[in-house]
Amino acid sequence: MTPDAGDFWAISAEDELRALGSSAEGLTTAEATVRLAHFGPNRLAVQRRRTDAGLFLAQFKSPIILILLAAAVLSIFLDDRLDAVIILVIVFASGMLSFFQERGADRAVAKLLQIVEVKATVLRDGTEIDVPIDSVVPGDVVVLAAGDGIPGDGLVLASRELFVDESSLTGETYPVEKEPGITTADAPLARRANAVWMGTHVVSGSGKALVVRTGLSTEFGKVSERLGEREEETEFEHGVRRFGVLLLEITLLLVFAIFATNVFLHKPVLVSFLFSLALAVGLTPQLLPAIISINLAHGARGMAENKVIVKRLASIENFGSMNVLCSDKTGTLTEGVVRLRSALDVDGNEDDNVRWLAFLNASFETGFGNPIDEALRALPGIDIAGWRKLDEEPYDFERKRLSVLAGRAGERLMVTKGSLAKVLDVSSAVKMSDGTIRPLEGSREKVTALYEELSAQGFRTLGVAVRDELTADRIGRDDERGMRFVGVLVLFDPPKEGVAKTVERLRELGVELKIITGDNALIAATVGAQMGLKKPKVLTGAELHHLHDLALGRRVGSVDIFAEVEPNQKEDIIRALRANGDVVGYLGDGINDASGLHAADVGISVNSAVDVAKEAADIVLLEKDLGVLCRGVTEGRKTFANTLKYVFMATSANFGNMFSMAGASLFLPFLPLLPTQILLTNLLTDFPETAIASDAVDRELVEMPRKWDIRFIRNFMLVFGTLSSVFDYMTFGVLLLILKAGATEFRTGWFVESVISASVIVLIVRTRRPFLASRPGKWLTTATVAVGAATLTLPYIRPVAELFKFKPLPPVFLAWLAGILALYISGAELTKYLFYHWHDARPKPKRRRRR
């Protein structure tokens, strides 16, 4: 059952079937299951899916949480069992909240990914069935059709005009014909006509192949390590990490300082230790990973409603930050459907005979299928009754011509169409529309000028030639000589309806469109102008060859269209843009787009793309339409904005409360809050923020790309954290100086003020607009009100109050609390206005090249 590691292309299909223990009818389901367990999934990289148990345990892997759990266990041995139980329950409740939210996010994303799951058709139990490509095993017989990805390395068992694109492995531009047989062991990969390779795809025809190797043992697997490695962390991920480091530094400083000070003041060591740890937990935004997952999953669902499927959740952040989109032209900006505009004679006049000849050729051809012949066969009102096909010389990518021999009542007519230059190469004369014959040399310049004129207008051209003196019923390549050139077919792929508005909308969103295409520069420039690119600057692949990296970096920013590019040049363009500091998206759907998709900050493909492109992409569009992309960008920015809202909330409320608590502990003869009360405060203030994913987002937050700004976050934390502490100390003054509160009353009063003020600040800092000018989402509002009501109620519920050592608060304190909150809201609004006014007025840092 071990796959043949040798030169399987040099072995007969019968021997290989026998060696693999398979047959022409494929494997049984039971045998395939056994082999899948033995060989493992057919993947180029190990994909680890989180189990429920692993996800649950991950909620408690924070070092601070582990220390807190250890301290709780220690307190049990010191007979302080009640506090230990309360700590464990709160930590467990917080972990469960994160667990259920993240599990729901994971499952929602898994369902979305099923929409774009790549499958292969295999023979199992003698019947054709579709299975995930991961489930293909050595010994499987796969059924191949046009557009299918090859799921493994294998031998061709049967073929019918089977052409495969192997450019990802061989660099050969043109598809290769595949057929059963035996190749010499030392034949280069590009010459192994009896073998197919993982990572390539079928262009046309059909066939069956025996899978010999899968996964990393394939040729594609051997060269996939570079593609398999993820790029360096995204800017957003880098920002989260830097933010975490900042909080860790502050946390450690507070923990050691407060613990040492409380011990110095002769407070109980264990209580001081637990208090310090609780402070650390309170300062740390424990729900940040869960909130990010929830926001991303919510964003993924919202994008799915806009027909955008997110395969890699972290890419949503890059989607929101994207400011350059590189896109192919055909089928994305254009309709992707070839249409015949006109059939012209050598003088550039409409000629029905040229149209009729093209129709005859297309109607009888049966070889390499293509949209041009489909367009010609759809022409109305053309009669070829009485004509029958005698023979055909199929199109190939070397000749770039297709010839058909047709007959009627003893008459023979060979019609050839193809690349204008290639058709001219086999022509020696020109047949004019009036039937006269002229030497080609006298008309070649006229035809060339006509070609250039049509290309400059954005049209494709094909040449048509005939030969009518043949007597045999068979033709070959040698018969394509001495032909009479009759005219030019003018074809076009019209821009999609509304694409100019879509390009303008992208520009309004701060996304610059750059077209990367293999089309010639004249066509690309014309189409680009039709799509709203004003006086587009064009750089060709030939010019790219002469630019070193530094020169390319200086040029790419000002170029609108890259034309006549080779597949490997796409990656060079994208990396040059990224090196300039741009966040680059790449939209591609072909096998030669895989490296470009991987090189971009966010790789975008379409559901109709070849399998390899979908595998390499981070995001898959269910419609090949930039309008869908615009909506996806907007949704991505909403997700980005809501993720940052939690960071703002965590910094403003948590930092302020913990700073106040640390300071109060220094002058109070008792701890301002007990460790269990701190943990309860942290749990209640985090609860409303789980609804932030559904919050409404202000229009200005999605109008332009946004990046993580750690300096902005730090300044925000210092300003609003200090503001929070001001009103905390105001509360301390009311409790100590006016109400003469004891330890229990003080803790109860500050607990209520702390939770409610933190909940209120959520509604303030979620927007840079005035509070009344930006309504929060209904779920965020509901959660905030619910937490506020629960907080006011807890001290009056005896069992809970006794458990957490609370006391009912006098009505006078509630009146003072209302006044403090009113001042806090007013102060927060004023501070917010001044903060953003100051921030907007600051000079913006220059964009730096990435290294």
Side-chain angles (χ1 to χ4, degrees):
M1 195 169 63
T2 303
D4 191 314
D7 306 327
F8 64 85
W9 53 90
I11 302 174
S12 70
E14 293 76 12
D15 289 343
E16 194 63 45
L17 282 167
R18 195 160 39 250
L20 289 172
S22 185
S23 70
E25 286 72 41
L27 301 172
T28 64
T29 301
E31 177 62 21
T33 302
V34 172
R35 294 189 183 206
L36 183 61
H38 178 76
F39 295 117
N42 180 27
R43 302 191 189 110
L44 297 182
V46 177
Q47 186 179 17
R48 297 182 176 88
R49 291 189 175 180
R50 298 189 292 183
T51 62
D52 284 353
L55 185 60
F56 176 75
L57 293 176
Q59 310 306 318
F60 306 97
K61 67 181 181 181
S62 164
I64 293 176
I65 295 295
L66 293 176
I67 294 174
L68 192 60
L69 291 174
V73 173
L74 178 63
S75 65
I76 294 177
F77 288 101
L78 297 177
D79 291 329
D80 194 3
R81 290 183 173 85
L82 181 60
D83 278 359
V85 169
I86 294 173
I87 292 173
L88 291 173
V89 168
I90 293 177
V91 170
F92 181 78
S94 178
M96 288 299 293
L97 176 63
S98 298
F99 166 71
F100 282 115
Q101 293 284 2
E102 286 203 59
R103 187 180 68 163
D106 277 2
R107 290 184 175 180
V109 172
K111 290 180 180 179
L112 293 176
L113 289 180
Q114 290 176 1
I115 298 175
V116 294
E117 185 176 50
V118 179
K119 294 189 175 183
T121 302
V122 300
L123 293 178
R124 295 275 172 88
D125 302 314
T127 304
E128 292 185 14
I129 63 170
D130 291 333
V131 300
I133 199 170
D134 290 0
S135 302
V136 174
V137 296
D140 262 326
V141 174
V142 294
V143 180
L144 302 173
D148 288 347
I150 308 295
D153 292 356
L155 276 177
V156 177
L157 300 180
S159 68
R160 185 174 182 273
E161 298 171 350
L162 179 65
F163 283 82
V164 176
D165 186 332
E166 296 181 342
S167 58
S168 61
L169 289 176
T170 67
E172 293 287 342
T173 305
Y174 307 127
V176 179
E177 187 172 10
K178 298 292 182 179
E179 55 189 2
I182 299 176
T183 308
T184 58
D186 60 353
L189 188 145
R191 299 294 176 262
R192 299 169 193 169
N194 65 327
V196 290
W197 312 100
M198 186 178 190
T200 65
H201 73 283
V202 179
V203 175
S204 66
S206 60
K208 293 180 181 179
L210 170 67
V211 176
V212 179
R213 299 171 180 165
T214 58
L216 291 173
S217 62
T218 63
E219 292 295 326
F220 196 72
K222 294 173 185 176
V223 298
S224 67
E225 290 183 359
R226 182 162 165 261
L227 286 177
E229 295 174 358
R230 265 289 152 197
E231 293 290 332
E232 65 274 7
E233 62 185 357
T234 67
E235 186 164 354
F236 185 85
E237 292 166 337
H238 181 59
V240 170
R241 181 172 59 80
R242 291 174 60 202
F243 176 58
V245 170
L246 176 65
L247 287 181
L248 180 62
E249 292 172 349
I250 297 173
T251 297
L252 291 175
L253 180 63
L254 280 176
V255 166
F256 286 118
I258 299 306
F259 175 69
T261 303
N262 278 280
V263 171
F264 177 76
L265 295 175
H266 305 292
K267 294 177 182 178
V269 174
L270 179 60
V271 174
S272 298
F273 180 62
L274 289 175
F275 174 73
S276 301
L277 285 178
L279 271 179
V281 173
L283 179 61
T284 305
Q286 298 173 59
L287 286 185
L288 182 58
I291 293 296
I292 290 176
S293 295
I294 295 165
N295 279 336
L296 295 180
H298 185 273
R301 287 193 293 267
M303 292 171 76
E305 293 174 0
N306 286 312
K307 300 183 179 180
V308 179
I309 303 300
V310 180
K311 289 181 59 188
R312 179 174 173 253
L313 283 182
S315 65
I316 293 180
E317 310 296 358
N318 278 343
F319 212 22
S321 302
M322 181 177 70
N323 68 302
V324 173
L325 173 65
C326 298
S327 174
D328 186 23
K329 176 178 66 67
T330 304
T332 305
L333 303 174
T334 64
E335 291 184 358
V337 177
V338 177
R339 296 181 185 177
L340 180 69
R341 177 179 181 268
S342 55
L344 307 177
D345 62 15
V346 176
D347 293 322
N349 302 316
E350 281 285 348
D351 190 330
D352 290 339
N353 184 53
V354 176
R355 187 185 300 265
W356 183 88
L357 289 169
F359 182 87
L360 182 72
N361 176 285
S363 298
F364 287 151
E365 76 90 16
T366 57
F368 189 81
N370 63 82
I372 293 175
D373 286 326
E374 293 176 7
L376 293 174
R377 286 193 289 266
L379 293 174
I382 298 181
D383 182 16
I384 58 172
W387 287 91
R388 60 188 177 90
K389 177 181 176 180
L390 298 177
D391 198 13
E392 173 183 2
E393 185 61 29
Y395 181 93
D396 66 55
F397 291 90
E398 195 172 320
R399 290 165 42 251
K400 295 186 178 181
R401 296 185 297 266
L402 165 66
S403 295
V404 169
L405 179 64
R408 181 182 65 173
E411 184 180 357
R412 301 287 186 273
L413 180 64
M414 187 175 83
V415 182
T416 299
K417 80 173 190 308
S419 162
L420 185 60
K422 294 292 186 179
V423 173
L424 287 173
D425 286 344
V426 295
S427 299
S428 59
V430 174
K431 187 174 183 179
M432 307 302 291
S433 56
D434 60 3
T436 59
I437 307 297
R438 297 178 184 174
L440 174 64
E441 290 307 315
S443 302
R444 183 182 285 272
E445 290 185 4
K446 183 185 295 186
V447 174
T448 302
L450 179 62
Y451 161 76
E452 292 177 351
E453 179 185 350
L454 293 169
S455 296
Q457 297 174 28
F459 298 113
R460 293 178 179 271
T461 56
L462 292 180
V464 180
V466 297
R467 188 176 177 189
D468 55 13
E469 79 280 6
L470 297 171
T471 57
D473 290 343
R474 307 285 293 177
I475 58 172
R477 296 188 181 187
D478 292 340
D479 292 308
E480 293 178 338
R481 57 184 175 80
M483 304 193 72
R484 296 169 182 172
F485 186 83
V486 294
V488 177
L489 299 177
V490 183
L491 306 156
F492 72 114
D493 179 9
K496 285 188 175 179
E497 184 179 356
V499 71
K501 292 183 179 179
T502 301
V503 172
E504 180 60 29
R505 176 57 182 153
L506 280 172
R507 190 178 293 115
E508 291 172 355
L509 289 170
V511 179
E512 181 184 0
L513 176 67
K514 294 183 182 294
I515 299 174
I516 303 179
T517 178
D519 274 347
N520 73 60
L522 295 174
I523 293 176
T526 300
V527 174
Q530 293 172 353
M531 294 170 183
L533 298 179
K534 300 176 181 178
K535 296 181 180 179
K537 295 182 179 179
V538 181
L539 186 68
T540 66
E543 293 172 312
L544 279 171
H545 275 303
H546 301 293
L547 294 178
H548 55 75
D549 291 346
L550 188 59
L552 178 60
R554 288 197 295 263
R555 292 284 301 276
V556 289
S558 61
V559 174
D560 302 296
I561 299 173
F562 299 88
E564 302 171 21
V565 299
E566 299 172 5
N568 62 309
Q569 292 178 320
K570 296 180 180 181
E571 182 175 351
D572 296 336
I573 294 167
I574 291 166
R575 292 194 181 280
L577 287 166
R578 292 190 64 199
N580 286 344
D582 293 306
V583 179
V584 184
Y586 180 71
L587 177 58
D589 62 356
I591 181 70
N592 56 5
D593 291 317
S595 61
L597 288 165
H598 178 77
D601 289 285
V602 52
I604 309 162
S605 192
V606 293
N607 201 26
S608 59
V610 299
D611 296 340
V612 175
K614 285 194 288 186
E615 285 290 339
D618 301 310
I619 290 174
V620 177
L621 308 182
L622 296 185
E623 290 183 1
K624 197 171 184 180
D625 178 10
L626 280 183
V628 172
L629 193 62
C630 288
R631 295 191 292 272
V633 168
T634 301
E635 195 66 39
R637 291 182 184 175
K638 289 180 180 178
T639 303
F640 187 95
N642 280 337
T643 302
L644 288 184
K645 284 179 187 178
Y646 174 76
V647 175
F648 296 155
M649 296 167 191
T651 54
S652 58
N654 290 11
F655 177 76
N657 284 343
M658 296 309 106
F659 184 74
S660 301
M661 208 176 304
S665 69
L666 301 180
F667 64 81
L668 288 175
F670 52 84
L671 292 177
L673 283 179
L674 298 176
T676 53
Q677 294 169 342
I678 295 175
L679 294 176
L680 181 61
T681 300
N682 194 41
L683 178 64
L684 289 175
T685 53
D686 273 340
F687 179 74
E689 292 161 1
T690 60
I692 196 66
S694 61
D695 189 30
V697 177
D698 297 337
R699 177 174 47 81
E700 59 268 21
L701 296 181
V702 299
E703 285 183 337
M704 296 298 292
R706 301 178 69 208
K707 296 182 180 181
W708 180 283
D709 186 346
I710 192 66
R711 183 166 59 173
F712 178 86
I713 299 296
R714 183 195 62 205
N715 293 339
F716 196 98
M717 178 176 70
L718 293 174
V719 171
F720 286 87
T722 302
L723 178 70
S724 175
S725 290
V726 168
F727 289 93
D728 284 339
Y729 283 105
M730 188 180 297
T731 303
F732 297 166
V734 170
L735 289 168
L736 295 173
L737 302 177
I738 298 177
L739 301 181
K740 309 297 183 183
T744 303
E745 291 84 358
F746 180 92
R747 291 165 180 157
T748 305
W750 191 37
F751 164 78
V752 171
E753 185 271 340
S754 178
V755 174
I756 294 180
S757 64
S759 301
V760 169
I761 200 64
V762 167
L763 305 180
I764 302 297
V765 302
R766 56 168 291 277
T767 175
R768 62 179 294 166
R769 298 181 183 181
F771 169 68
L772 297 178
S774 176
R775 292 186 178 183
K778 65 177 181 179
W779 294 114
L780 178 61
T781 302
T782 302
T784 302
V785 171
V787 166
T791 303
L792 288 171
T793 306
L794 283 178
Y796 301 96
I797 303 175
R798 179 171 296 179
V800 179
E802 292 178 352
L803 185 65
F804 287 97
K805 299 181 174 61
F806 290 143
K807 288 184 66 174
L809 296 168
V812 65
F813 173 75
L814 298 180
W816 276 103
L817 176 63
I820 291 173
L821 288 176
L823 288 174
Y824 186 28
I825 292 172
S826 301
E829 284 290 356
L830 178 60
T831 302
K832 183 172 65 175
Y833 171 80
L834 295 174
F835 177 81
Y836 280 109
H837 182 75
W838 167 77
H839 178 266
D840 293 342
R842 291 176 59 209
K844 299 297 182 289
K846 293 183 179 180
R847 189 173 64 182
R848 293 179 296 178
R849 287 179 60 87
R850 296 186 187 181
R851 298 188 181 274

